[in-house]
């Protein structure tokens, strides 16, 4: 009759446990590096809003209608992220927020915006001509709500004449413009999500 594991020598039991441990370690899926996980999260598309078709139609009429609408701005930001040029909309928004800054915080916030977006070789440098860049630098000396006015206007025009035109022809915008069929999942939805009403469109954004 078999006496089971108790009849085996202690050295055999130890070797068996060691082998089991090694196999278990090899089968474990290592966690990706934090940086790699972060990049994957940024690339993940999620549905963040529902946009009525009437609103989307307004986006076609002017860039101003698009950028002044919260849903339009999010969709346009997603498009710019796909083109690796989101610094333009980030700068425009930073300038818009700056105009609402309290006087006691203006100097500090203006310096942060300048060093991040305007200064040559800055981390998120926007495409400004040298004259506008220098004018903005001088404006910081008398810092007020209008010190980024010229630079913001230049970037608005750049996006309007360049990125906005491509956005209207992009796959993202074309999909947003298409009416959805009842019980048909939006192509931008993840699998497993509930279907979207025909009255609204999916609006993706990169986290």
């Amino acid at each position: 009759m078999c006496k089971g594991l108790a009849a085996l020598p202690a050295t055999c039991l130890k070797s068996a446990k060691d082998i089991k441990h090694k196999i278990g370690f090899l089968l474990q899926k290592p966690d990706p590096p934090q940086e790699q996980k972060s990049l994957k999260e940024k690339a993940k598309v999620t549905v963040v809003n529902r946009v009525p078709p009437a609103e989307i139609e307004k986006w076609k009429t002017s860039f101003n209608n698009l950028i002044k609408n919260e849903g339009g701005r999010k969709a346009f930001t997603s498009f710019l992220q796909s083109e690796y040029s989101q610094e333009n909309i980030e700068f425009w928004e930073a300038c818009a927020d700056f105009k609402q800054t309290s006087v006691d915080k203006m100097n500090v916030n203006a310096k942060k915006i300048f060093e991040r977006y305007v200064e040559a070789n800055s981390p998120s440098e926007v495409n400004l001509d040298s004259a506008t860049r220098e004018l903005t630098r001088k404006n910081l000396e008398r810092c007020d709500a209008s010190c980024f006015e010229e630079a913001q206007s230049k970037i608005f025009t750049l996006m309007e004449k360049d990125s906005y035109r491509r956005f209207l022809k992009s796959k993202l915008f074309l999909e947003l413009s298409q009416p959805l069929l009842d019980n048909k999942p939006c192509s931008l939805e993840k699998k497993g999500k509930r279907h979207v009403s025909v009255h609204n469109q999916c609006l993706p954004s990169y986290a």
Side-chain angles (χ1 to χ4, degrees):
M1 181 182 293
C2 178
K3 296 182 180 180
L5 294 176
L8 294 174
T11 53
C12 291
L13 290 175
K14 184 176 184 304
S15 297
K17 288 180 180 179
D18 288 343
I19 292 171
K20 181 180 179 181
H21 175 74
K22 289 178 180 178
I23 292 175
F25 177 79
L26 291 173
L27 291 176
Q28 287 180 354
K29 186 177 180 179
D31 292 332
Q34 191 62 35
E35 183 179 353
Q36 183 178 346
K37 289 168 70 176
S38 176
L39 289 174
K40 286 183 178 180
E41 287 299 318
K42 287 182 179 179
K44 189 184 296 181
V45 177
T46 57
V47 176
V48 297
N49 201 358
R50 306 294 175 200
V51 185
E55 285 297 322
I56 296 176
E57 285 301 310
K58 291 180 183 178
W59 301 351
K60 297 178 182 179
T61 60
S62 76
F63 181 56
N64 195 57
N65 285 341
L66 171 73
I67 203 171
K68 293 296 178 65
N69 177 269
E70 183 181 0
R73 200 160 57 249
K74 286 180 179 179
F76 186 61
T77 298
S78 291
F79 171 72
L80 292 182
Q81 286 175 329
S82 72
E83 291 199 332
Y84 302 99
S85 60
Q86 65 268 27
E87 69 276 358
N88 291 323
I89 190 66
E90 288 176 359
F91 173 67
W92 186 91
E93 289 181 325
C95 292
D97 292 340
F98 177 76
K99 292 175 182 178
Q100 309 301 320
T101 304
S102 58
V103 177
D104 60 314
K105 295 180 180 179
M106 272 194 171
N107 284 319
V108 174
N109 288 354
K111 184 178 179 181
K112 288 181 179 179
I113 293 173
F114 185 86
E115 290 179 348
R116 181 171 182 81
Y117 298 106
V118 182
E119 193 167 38
N121 301 315
S122 54
S124 301
E125 182 183 354
V126 292
N127 189 10
L128 293 170
D129 58 89
S130 57
T132 303
R133 199 183 306 277
E134 188 57 32
L135 173 64
T136 307
R137 185 192 304 277
K138 290 180 179 179
N139 287 346
L140 262 61
E141 297 173 5
R142 55 160 187 81
C143 189
D144 59 28
S146 65
C147 66
F148 290 104
E149 193 77 43
E150 182 67 17
Q152 184 187 24
S153 177
K154 288 288 180 70
I155 294 303
F156 180 93
T157 301
L158 176 66
M159 292 190 292
E160 182 180 33
K161 292 184 176 180
D162 186 25
S163 303
Y164 173 58
R165 294 178 181 179
R166 291 199 304 277
F167 170 73
L168 294 180
K169 297 177 181 179
S170 69
K171 181 180 179 182
L172 167 60
F173 182 74
L174 294 177
E175 288 192 356
L176 287 173
S177 302
Q178 291 298 316
L180 299 176
L181 301 177
D182 286 328
N183 299 322
K184 181 180 179 181
C186 173
S187 62
L188 296 174
E189 288 269 23
K190 292 181 182 178
K191 291 181 180 178
K193 294 287 185 180
R194 294 191 305 177
H195 73 273
V196 183
S197 167
V198 69
H199 301 297
N200 295 299
Q201 311 294 82
C202 294
L203 174 60
S205 176
Y206 292 87

